[in-house]
Amino acid sequence: MNMPLPPLQPSQELLSPEALAAALRQIGAERYHNLHPFHRRLHNGELTLDQVRAWALNRYYYQAMIPIKDATILARMDDPALRRVWRQRIVDHDGEEGQTDGQAGGIDRWLKLTDGLGLIRDEVISTRHILPATRFAVEAYVHFVRDRTLLEAIASSLTEMFSPQIISERVSGMLANYSFISEETLAYFGKRLTQAPRDADFALAYVQRHAVTLETQAAALAALRFKCDVLWSQLDALEHAYVDPGLPPPGAWRPGELLVPGAAR
């Protein structure tokens, strides 16, 4: 079943490729989740260790589903050349067989973060303890790329245009403000500084080539707004469950749970 989106509102005139790119970037400037109060607190060192744990635990589900999302998009591509490019995204997150630590995929690197925060790895991987809203939002994204047009699926990935900014803020802020964070635990983000711009450049060029009518341009813009909403809603859930008012729902992780022996409390 198709995920509902607000009615498309095409602009009054067709955008040039450059104007379309500018309109997409404007969506990021207004709606990307680096603007969310939870992330502001995360980067500024205003969260407790347990609140950072809650973020890392829930975000793992998003990271783990990225290659599934990309495999879903890949299966819809008729062009072998397009598939060859897109499948690199799956390798980037899943890694390759026989990889060394330096070649680990994004999922393994995220687990270094949850390890460093003292969370039991098997419990993180199980995803049994994430917030319901996290699961709903992430699965809505996978359903979106399955059910919408290929153009919309690719356009929804364009939040990667904005990720270098949030990564730079996150790494510098967390290293400066949290004694329990190290460069090793933040290893996930280093490679994303090169991977995300590469992927975004390719996806943007695709959107510019294929969004050539008022309707397809409106659809591409709406797809990116939808993806921003997916990311924002995950932080809304974290804010409500662990910051204000601090009410994790039944079954979700609670501070003090799932920690390895000797982890800071």
Side-chain angles (χ1 to χ4, degrees):
M1 183 173 64
N2 284 355
M3 297 298 299
L5 283 178
L8 297 180
Q9 296 180 341
S11 62
Q12 296 303 306
E13 59 184 38
L14 193 66
L15 300 174
S16 68
E18 295 75 17
L20 177 60
L24 291 162
R25 291 192 177 94
Q26 185 61 32
I27 290 172
E30 296 173 353
R31 304 172 74 111
Y32 194 52
H33 66 306
N34 66 315
L35 302 173
H36 196 285
F38 186 92
H39 256 314
R40 294 295 189 193
R41 281 191 274 273
L42 176 68
H43 299 169
N44 293 337
E46 298 169 7
L47 297 183
T48 66
L49 172 55
D50 278 331
Q51 289 166 340
V52 176
R53 284 169 170 154
W55 165 73
L57 173 71
N58 278 269
R59 178 78 179 196
Y60 171 78
Y61 188 57
Y62 177 79
Q63 302 302 144
M65 292 296 282
I66 286 175
I68 295 173
K69 175 269 297 185
D70 284 319
T72 302
I73 295 175
L74 187 73
R76 305 185 60 199
M77 293 174 168
D78 297 327
D79 183 351
L82 188 56
R83 290 197 300 267
R84 282 193 292 270
V85 174
W86 204 267
R87 71 187 180 195
Q88 183 60 48
R89 294 168 177 252
I90 300 173
V91 174
D92 288 343
H93 282 84
D94 279 345
E96 297 187 86
E97 188 175 358
Q99 66 191 15
T100 64
D101 283 348
Q103 300 168 325
I107 295 173
D108 285 339
R109 295 199 309 277
W110 193 269
L111 288 167
K112 286 187 176 296
L113 171 59
T114 57
D115 288 347
L117 293 171
L119 292 164
I120 297 172
R121 179 177 282 221
D122 286 347
E123 296 293 346
V124 174
I125 293 171
S126 77
T127 74
R128 289 191 297 262
H129 313 281
I130 64 174
L131 297 168
T134 299
R135 194 176 303 279
F136 294 155
V138 173
E139 292 180 3
Y141 183 32
V142 176
H143 296 163
F144 181 92
V145 304
R146 179 195 66 195
D147 297 336
R148 294 284 169 170
T149 65
L150 183 59
L151 172 64
E152 290 169 289
I154 291 176
S156 70
S157 76
L158 284 172
T159 49
E160 289 175 321
M161 291 194 297
F162 323 125
S163 62
Q165 175 185 352
I166 199 171
I167 288 172
S168 297
E169 293 174 358
R170 184 177 295 155
V171 171
S172 61
M174 293 184 74
L175 285 174
N177 292 306
Y178 298 113
S179 61
F180 50 83
I181 291 293
S182 68
E183 291 187 8
E184 182 179 2
T185 57
L186 295 181
Y188 170 82
F189 300 106
K191 286 193 175 182
R192 293 305 298 161
L193 285 170
T194 55
Q195 292 170 350
R198 175 205 66 198
D199 294 344
D201 288 347
F202 179 84
L204 177 59
Y206 181 94
V207 171
Q208 289 175 304
R209 286 196 307 273
H210 292 87
V212 293
T213 66
L214 292 177
E215 183 177 6
T216 54
Q217 288 186 351
L221 294 166
L224 183 55
R225 285 192 291 269
F226 169 81
K227 173 62 179 305
C228 287
D229 290 346
V230 166
L231 296 170
W232 194 278
S233 64
Q234 292 177 67
L235 296 184
D236 277 349
L238 285 166
E239 180 86 6
H240 185 273
Y242 298 108
V243 181
D244 184 15
L247 295 174
W253 179 80
R254 292 177 181 272
E257 296 179 342
L258 313 181
L259 302 181
V260 299
R265 295 180 185 270

